[in-house]
Amino acid sequence: MRELRVGSYRSICRKTRPTLCHGDFGLTNVIRTRKGHSLIDFETLRLDLRAYDLNRAIYNFCQCHNWNFSVAQSFLDGYRTIFKLKREDYEMLRVLLRFPRGICRLIDNYDKRTPKVKRKVELDFPRILSHERQRTAFLRKLDAYAGIKQ
């Protein structure tokens, strides 16, 4: 929340031009063909910020690889051959990746859940929190990759 409050998130949103985004870029929407990899499943296609699709892809691919930055770096290296990313793209990507999505999803409506489900949430909490914490080191590497000093 602090990053949103003191960062340049709002000004980046105002001055960044939306682009065509897949909307659900992840492992289940990429298939391997004889010609290489192809993106499928376009029902969430929309105009949005470039960083949104980058966030979805990096989050989905890196979460299942324990936030190994080399996975994101490969993706970003390939992406940069098509489009030059600006500092604002990286800053927006950082804000989106910093958001504790897993914890929020896990504890959403906790008070309304059954005791059995609450127990499962409590057991999952340390694992999800560990994933959230792994992103801190990951984000430092992203900043170094992007040439952003913190």
Side-chain angles (χ1 to χ4, degrees):
M1 294 307 289
R2 186 185 77 70
E3 281 191 50
L4 290 175
R5 203 172 34 258
V6 301
S8 52
Y9 174 78
R10 286 191 176 96
S11 71
I12 291 170
C13 286
R14 281 191 299 272
K15 69 181 179 181
T16 303
R17 192 170 163 202
T19 189
L20 195 58
C21 291
H22 182 272
D24 190 21
F25 200 134
L27 295 169
T28 58
N29 290 327
V30 177
I31 60 169
R32 181 180 288 178
T33 67
R34 289 184 194 148
K35 295 180 180 180
H37 292 87
S38 295
L39 194 56
I40 61 168
D41 195 11
F42 291 92
E43 78 261 2
T44 54
L45 191 69
R46 65 174 178 267
L47 284 175
D48 208 327
L49 300 178
R50 182 176 324 282
Y52 178 79
D53 252 4
L54 290 171
N55 166 62
R56 292 288 297 178
I58 290 171
Y59 184 93
N60 288 333
F61 284 90
C62 291
Q63 177 184 351
C64 62
H65 288 94
N66 293 317
W67 293 97
N68 180 342
F69 187 75
S70 66
V71 174
Q73 184 173 350
S74 295
F75 183 82
L76 289 167
D77 287 348
Y79 193 90
R80 289 176 12 166
T81 65
I82 298 166
F83 187 85
K84 184 178 187 310
L85 294 170
K86 300 175 185 170
R87 180 182 178 90
E88 291 84 15
D89 293 315
Y90 289 110
E91 288 176 4
M92 182 66 77
L93 179 58
R94 186 179 204 292
V95 168
L96 293 170
L97 285 169
R98 184 74 236 153
F99 185 77
R101 222 166 95 170
I103 293 292
C104 290
R105 206 173 323 144
L106 187 66
I107 63 174
D108 187 40
N109 294 315
Y110 175 83
D111 56 328
K112 297 176 185 169
R113 299 199 177 172
T114 66
K116 184 178 178 181
V117 173
K118 283 182 179 182
R119 182 69 185 138
K120 184 179 179 339
V121 167
E122 292 160 4
L123 291 172
D124 282 349
F125 191 83
R127 182 181 57 80
I128 300 295
L129 186 58
S130 171
H131 278 279
E132 303 289 347
R133 288 182 174 152
Q134 287 174 344
R135 272 191 281 166
T136 301
F138 176 89
L139 291 170
R140 280 195 293 273
K141 291 176 183 176
L142 177 64
D143 289 343
Y145 177 88
I148 299 172
K149 295 179 182 175
Q150 290 296 318

